[in-house]
Amino acid sequence: AQSVTQLGSHVSVSEGALVLLRCNYSSSVPPYLFWYVQYPNQGLQLLLKYTTGATLVKGINGFEAEFKKSETSFHLTKPSAHMSDAAEYFCAVSDFGGSTLGRLYFGRGTQLTVWP
Amino acid sequence: KAGVTQTPRYLIKTRGQQVTLSCSPISGHRSVSWYQQTPGQGLQFLFEYFSETQRNKGNFPGRFSGRQFSNSRSEMNVSTLELGDSALYLCASRGGEGNTEAFFGQGTRLTVV
């Protein structure tokens, strides 16, 4: 079965500072990995995804993530935080090829606060 | 291209009642999944429908049910509501087999009093 652990339920950074949100996964098959962002009272918006190929994935709004199989990690980074990045971020894993057929397993989320 | 549409956005129900939530996926998408989001349990998978067939089901009691129509629109129903059913219910649509990207609606906020 798949599972996701997000280290740190709250992360605070200053505007312009590096953003690093940590995600570790567990999967019995080659994983598909995702980062989603959620603003208050909204649904989830896909930031980026890793399926196969290049392990450094670039997404929207300047975010990127690197798939590291040896560390079972998929950490999300952004070189320079902006006030508009304040939101909750969710890491998710799925296999799409197995019995779960597209089911996403989510981490508990990391609330990002950006200070001016 | 219109996104995933969930109706209603907000709902208040009384314990013991039942409720039906609706989800219209992106045009052409055949897969619809439902998730429950609560502060205590986070995001939990309810079920997935593909071409009117339930293909996968999460660990929820039988009070939670769903269906998908021939136009891919989906509904989920919760019977005999409990206070603990208060949550944000999110619907996601995918194109189908081989499509890895799930697009989420804005959710329905259900409050049970």
Side-chain angles (χ1 to χ4, degrees):
Chain A
Q2 287 74 33
S3 67
V4 172
T5 301
Q6 289 185 240
L7 298 174
S9 58
H10 291 84
V11 170
S12 296
V13 300
S14 299
E15 193 172 22
L18 171 71
V19 175
L20 170 60
L21 305 183
R22 300 178 187 273
C23 171
N24 288 88
Y25 69 90
S26 172
S27 178
S28 57
V29 297
Y32 291 79
L33 296 158
F34 307 83
W35 275 100
Y36 284 88
V37 62
Q38 186 178 36
Y39 298 98
N41 296 316
Q42 298 294 318
L44 302 175
Q45 180 184 12
L46 182 67
L47 281 176
L48 48 81
K49 65 178 182 180
Y50 168 79
T51 53
T52 58
T55 56
L56 183 61
V57 180
K58 295 187 183 300
I60 62 172
N61 301 338
F63 285 94
E64 61 183 37
E66 186 171 11
F67 169 62
K68 292 187 177 181
K69 183 178 180 181
S70 61
E71 298 177 8
T72 60
S73 68
F74 191 57
H75 302 330
L76 181 70
T77 61
K78 182 174 180 178
S80 177
H82 191 273
M83 296 292 289
S84 62
D85 295 327
E88 190 154 25
Y89 292 79
F90 292 92
C91 181
V93 65
S94 183
D95 61 16
F96 283 102
S99 61
T100 56
L101 292 171
R103 171 178 177 171
L104 290 168
Y105 294 82
F106 286 93
R108 293 305 301 269
T110 298
Q111 181 67 47
L112 176 66
T113 300
V114 182
W115 300 101
Chain B
K1 195 173 187 180
V4 179
T5 303
Q6 291 188 245
T7 56
R9 287 292 312 276
Y10 301 93
L11 207 48
I12 300 175
K13 290 287 188 179
T14 305
R15 272 182 304 173
Q17 287 186 312
Q18 73 166 15
V19 68
T20 299
L21 312 182
S22 178
C23 173
S24 293
I26 292 171
S27 178
H29 283 194
R30 298 164 63 191
S31 167
V32 174
S33 298
W34 289 89
Y35 292 83
Q36 181 196 64
Q37 185 177 24
T38 60
Q41 299 299 318
L43 281 153
Q44 293 187 289
F45 173 79
L46 281 154
F47 25 66
E48 180 184 23
Y49 287 86
F50 182 83
S51 294
E52 302 179 65
T53 301
Q54 187 181 92
R55 301 224 299 191
N56 201 0
K57 189 177 191 302
N59 188 27
F60 277 82
R63 299 185 297 107
F64 291 82
S65 63
R67 59 178 175 169
Q68 186 180 34
F69 301 95
S70 59
N71 63 358
S72 294
R73 189 178 70 86
S74 177
E75 290 180 346
M76 67 163 283
N77 183 277
V78 188
S79 62
T80 319
L81 284 165
E82 300 177 0
L83 296 179
D85 297 333
S86 295
L88 181 66
Y89 290 88
L90 293 166
C91 166
S93 81
R94 284 192 304 123
E97 302 287 13
N99 291 86
T100 58
E101 193 164 326
F103 296 86
F104 282 80
Q106 291 193 307
T108 294
R109 172 74 64 184
L110 172 65
T111 302
V112 182
V113 297

